[in-house]
Amino acid sequence: MDRVIICMKWGKLYGPDYVNVLYSACRNNISGDFRFICLTDDANGLDAAIESFPIPDLGIREFDWIKGGWPKISVFKPDLYGLTGRCLFIDLDTVICGPLDEFFENGGAFVGIDTGPTWGRPTSDQKPLLGTGIFAFTLGAYSEIYDEFIKDPQAVVTKYRIEQIYVQDRIENITYWPRSWVESFKYHYRKPALVGLVLPPRTPSPKSRVIAFHGEPRPIDLVKGGLWGIFPNVGLGRVRWAVDYWKRHGGSV
């Protein structure tokens, strides 16, 4: 089965460097062939090895493009530019530290991140809480999610608020990555409140695979330095391992 990585870039928040760095990191951590797809409203500056296609029109408001991750629903389109195979969707604000082959080989029909107990904030009923910063599925599967959404986008957005809650509600038998495969920068690397002003974040270990940056800070904030994060969970200055990662994969500093 073909292996396909899909990422998405829209608006001005993420420049082409984000896509190019992610592609380079994936290329260094995947054995054999794969296709790297960027769904975007602006393909300028992307590496020649990256295939780009327009983001399908979901009929959503401009506000919902910015909040809630709703454009991701387009990956479930029944025929997404003729793409086939096993898809690994990855958010642009993700750091790839180790091998990704097993992310394609995990046996679950749909595999995502458990952001509940795994990330230190248990849900009230202790059930898993899906995170879609990185997830895997077979392209063409779950087209009913797209079809249902496109019939009345505003009703779905109003009911579920963010895309990952909608996906969790509509997919049965979700499998979750092993805890060590996907870590949260906020919960596993960042220092406690205010301590980050004097001590840098933890450095990824040789066993680290994927670090998810959800919300603030973003990887580029650690690269540029200055004061980053949201008070009181803030850090100060450039983070050496983040700068090394960014430069190693072709990002401009």
Side-chain angles (χ1 to χ4, degrees), residues 72 88-91 93-94 96 103 106 110-120 123 127-136 163-165 167-168 174-185 187-188 210-214:
K72 288 186 190 179
L88 185 63
F89 180 93
I90 307 178
D91 274 349
D93 53 353
T94 304
I96 307 298
F103 283 79
N106 189 289
F110 184 97
V111 194
I113 311 166
D114 178 4
T115 64
T118 302
W119 279 4
T123 55
K127 291 182 179 180
L129 182 64
L130 177 67
T132 54
I134 177 170
F135 62 91
E163 143 275 338
Q164 59 194 21
I165 295 176
V167 173
Q168 177 168 322
I174 295 174
T175 302
Y176 294 92
W177 308 116
R179 293 189 175 203
S180 61
W181 286 19
V182 183
E183 297 175 295
S184 160
F185 175 78
Y187 301 137
H188 299 125
V210 174
I211 303 173
F213 283 72
H214 41 104

Side-chain angles (χ1 to χ4, degrees), residues 38 150 190 210:
C38 180
I150 209 71
R190 186 181 62 187
V210 174

